[in-house]
Amino acid sequence: MNIEKLILNPARLRILQFILLNERTTVSAILETLTDIPRATIYHHIKLLDENGLIHVVEEKRVRNTIEKVYAMNKKNDMLKHDNPVKLATAFFIELLQELQFYLGKSDADCVRDKVFFNTALLAVTDEEYDVLLKEIKDILEKYIKNKKTPERKLRKLSMISSLPVDKV
């Protein structure tokens, strides 16, 4: 399957994010957390991710009368070392733009109420400081990513991009 389609499907992206943040997980744990995605859909996406080498089985455990698989990201398949990273980035941006266009086109769109924002921060940091910052962000996100959707807890999409700024001098 085309890597852009594989990664940029919203449900698969959330599954990949969950696996990435948890390092190792089972389908049961994914089902408990991503309750808004139908069970059959999660199984379908796990199968696609596994078949295409983005995730792999790192352990199998006997649970009752079945084998439960433990999945992890496949370190050999680095999504950023893709044949065409420009195409992958473009697909990512197009998906975000489509979602924003849909939201902003609604008659009741209210960015303040819904906490929709755009922000860029230029940081002067060493590679080591940046690694620490990224780990801190990961640690913060881990506290919230396992929350289940409830009437009080809306799903929110927080997209981040790390890039080098173009030197305009």
Side-chain angles (χ1 to χ4, degrees):
M1 176 182 268
N2 176 311
I3 191 100
E4 292 86 11
K5 285 186 177 184
L6 190 66
I7 294 172
L8 295 177
N9 173 282
R12 282 192 292 269
L13 193 57
R14 289 180 57 212
I15 292 167
L16 284 170
Q17 179 185 37
F18 185 85
I19 295 170
L20 190 61
L21 286 172
N22 289 280
E23 294 180 14
R24 297 166 48 105
T25 192
T26 63
V27 175
S28 299
I30 296 168
L31 288 166
E32 286 175 20
T33 303
L34 304 181
T35 56
D36 58 308
I37 302 174
R39 179 181 202 86
T41 302
I42 287 180
Y43 277 103
H44 170 72
H45 290 311
I46 290 288
K47 181 180 178 193
L48 283 174
L49 293 168
D50 187 27
E51 287 175 349
N52 286 277
L54 289 176
I55 63 173
H56 65 116
V57 177
V58 293
E59 182 183 348
E60 291 184 352
K61 302 185 280 187
R62 181 162 287 290
V63 177
R64 292 179 219 101
N65 292 329
T66 187
I67 300 293
E68 183 175 52
K69 295 177 180 179
V70 179
Y71 291 93
M73 296 297 292
N74 187 350
K75 304 280 187 216
K76 295 176 187 170
N77 189 344
D78 186 347
M79 290 181 276
L80 295 177
K81 292 181 181 171
H82 182 258
D83 291 342
N84 191 344
V86 172
K87 190 174 178 184
L88 184 60
T90 302
F92 175 81
F93 291 125
I94 288 171
E95 181 190 3
L96 283 178
L97 287 172
Q98 286 174 334
E99 290 176 354
L100 281 171
Q101 183 179 18
F102 175 77
Y103 169 78
L104 295 171
K106 292 169 49 177
S107 61
D108 66 338
D110 183 338
C111 292
V112 174
R113 176 197 67 214
D114 296 331
K115 299 174 184 8
V116 173
F117 62 90
F118 321 94
N119 190 6
T120 297
L122 288 174
L123 309 171
V125 293
T126 65
D127 286 348
E128 293 77 20
E129 290 170 326
Y130 200 54
D131 288 342
V132 169
L133 172 63
L134 294 175
K135 170 137 181 21
E136 289 173 350
I137 291 169
K138 178 183 178 253
D139 291 344
I140 290 169
L141 289 176
E142 281 180 344
K143 290 192 291 189
Y144 301 97
I145 201 144
K146 293 180 184 177
N147 288 348
K148 294 179 179 152
K149 182 180 173 191
T150 66
E152 298 80 34
R153 284 191 172 133
K154 299 180 216 172
L155 284 179
R156 297 187 186 276
K157 186 173 191 173
L158 179 63
S159 299
M160 290 185 273
I161 300 163
S162 173
S163 66
L164 298 173
V166 175
D167 189 0
K168 299 197 186 230
V169 179

